Amino acid sequence: MSQRPNVPHSSSVAFGHHSHLLVSRGIASIVAGCSTHPLDLIKVRMQLQGEAGAPNPAVQTARPALAFQAPSAAHIHVPPPRVGPIAVGIRIVQQDGAAALFSGVSATVLRQTLYSTTRMGLYDILKKKWTDPGTGNMPLTSKIGAGLLAGGIGAAVGNPADVAMVRMQADGRLPAAQRRNYKSVIDAISQMSKREGVTSLWRGSSLTVNRAMLVTASQLASYDQIKETILSKGLMKDGIGTHVTASFAAGFVASVASNPVDVIKTRVMNMKVEAGKEPPYSGALDCAMKTVRAEGPMALYKGFVPTISRQGPFTVVLFVTLEQVRKLLKDF
């Protein structure tokens, strides 16, 4: 009597496929996040420039050169000089060494594991469900909708790691006595929970969710759309050249769309809340209004150069790594 061939159950095949998707997205996200971490740190430092109460980058480590000035001039507000990304990077290395460019990298690993794996995995699931079986394509509006939903859920999951990352990256700009000196992302989350309550881990979560929705919708949807256009018009073959072109364009779109929200998110997450004192910002809108009033509307695009410098390579590394890992897992 002939035996039936051992055919894998459809549910186990589906589970294996989804686990491969999550693994590939997790690996790609962590590689991209760690390799572009110094640019992200510089971006955070630039976004905090000019903030009320922020140390002046020009005199932060020098003795108080203006201590002798006349009292009558004390009330005059002189905006601190804007420092570019290269100068910020050089100053960090000079003050704290090259390793300081990777401050908070443990939080980046956790953030990418939670946030990026969730948003990209969910986007892929929605993409498969909403793709037209006849044409094999997904309408742009559906891609944007999938990106908005996936980004929002991913951000809510990864917010504690995001808060820890911003604080660890920003810590080095403060005088030594005022630094939080978190040892790792676990230490940061533990200290925040003890000193400020568990809710502090979701500080700025509305901004994180809004930013993630914008980034995911613009980044993933535009990558898929540009890649499909390149292939359908026969401009390039499906290879690394196409992936790099589509991913860099997607990174630019994501940077333009998300930078204003990112500036506000960074400032709200980094603000120091002390018992008995009024916090610097009552919320996202208050932070946006105070920032624009004090520094002008273009303050919302502070750190744009390092943002695009980071978002471009990040998106390229993310999608190129993803496509390569995808091929390896298929072969495996």
Side-chain angles (χ1 to χ4, degrees):
M1 189 173 177
S2 61
Q3 289 185 331
R4 262 179 71 184
N6 188 15
V7 179
H9 195 274
S10 60
S11 62
S12 64
V13 172
F15 176 78
H17 177 67
H18 286 311
S19 64
H20 275 185
L21 285 175
L22 288 174
V23 168
S24 61
R25 274 147 186 72
I27 292 170
S29 300
I30 291 168
V31 169
C34 291
S35 60
T36 59
H37 184 83
L39 291 168
D40 195 47
L41 184 143
I42 290 169
K43 176 205 75 174
V44 166
R45 298 282 181 94
M46 289 186 70
Q47 287 176 340
L48 293 169
Q49 283 181 20
E51 188 182 26
N56 187 327
V59 297
Q60 185 174 335
T61 58
R63 64 183 178 81
L66 301 181
F68 55 82
Q69 71 180 28
S72 59
H75 68 281
I76 300 171
H77 174 69
V78 180
R82 291 286 296 275
V83 183
I86 295 172
V88 170
I90 291 171
R91 182 172 287 117
I92 291 167
V93 173
Q94 286 175 339
Q95 289 177 356
D96 301 307
L101 292 171
F102 286 89
S103 298
V105 75
S106 62
T108 290
V109 172
L110 181 61
R111 178 178 178 269
Q112 295 300 336
T113 303
L114 297 174
Y115 161 63
S116 286
T117 304
T118 301
R119 73 174 180 126
M120 294 183 73
L122 185 56
Y123 176 81
D124 216 68
I125 291 168
L126 294 172
K127 185 178 165 184
K128 281 180 173 54
K129 287 190 175 182
W130 295 351
T131 295
D132 186 344
T135 61
N137 289 331
M138 181 179 176
L140 180 59
T141 50
S142 298
K143 287 174 188 164
I144 293 170
L148 291 171
L149 182 59
I153 293 171
V157 171
N159 202 82
D162 208 353
V163 177
M165 184 184 74
V166 167
R167 290 188 173 196
M168 290 172 79
Q169 288 176 331
D171 214 31
R173 65 190 269 278
L174 297 171
Q178 295 178 25
R179 293 183 184 181
R180 296 180 173 108
N181 293 319
Y182 298 135
K183 295 172 186 173
S184 67
V185 63
I186 303 300
D187 181 48
I189 290 172
S190 174
Q191 284 197 44
M192 279 188 279
S193 300
K194 286 176 186 173
R195 294 178 183 178
E196 303 170 52
V198 176
T199 54
S200 68
L201 299 177
W202 275 270
R203 181 169 294 149
S205 58
S206 62
L207 289 162
T208 308
V209 168
N210 287 334
R211 177 190 176 274
M213 289 171 74
L214 287 170
V215 168
T216 306
S218 56
Q219 186 188 64
L220 302 188
S222 59
Y223 174 79
D224 279 344
Q225 192 68 28
I226 293 164
K227 182 183 168 186
E228 282 173 15
T229 303
I230 290 170
L231 296 176
S232 64
K233 293 189 179 295
L235 300 173
M236 298 170 80
K237 291 182 180 178
D238 190 3
I240 289 182
T242 300
H243 304 156
V244 169
T245 304
S247 55
F248 194 83
F252 180 79
V253 173
S255 298
V256 173
S258 66
N259 205 88
V261 180
D262 201 26
V263 170
I264 304 305
K265 176 184 81 77
T266 296
R267 293 187 174 199
V268 169
M269 284 182 169
N270 186 60
M271 71 177 175
K272 209 161 192 174
V273 180
E274 297 177 12
K277 291 185 180 180
E278 191 177 339
Y281 310 115
S282 60
L285 185 60
D286 181 51
C287 179
M289 295 296 288
K290 283 179 178 174
T291 299
V292 172
R293 280 177 191 158
E295 304 165 54
M298 287 311 293
L300 298 177
Y301 274 92
K302 276 188 175 179
F304 182 74
V305 172
T307 294
I308 187 61
S309 299
R310 182 250 177 194
Q311 191 69 257
F314 176 88
T315 313
V316 170
V317 173
L318 176 68
F319 285 113
V320 170
T321 305
L322 178 59
E323 299 279 6
Q324 298 308 309
V325 172
R326 215 184 247 162
K327 287 179 184 176
L328 287 172
L329 290 175
K330 272 184 185 176
D331 294 338
F332 180 76

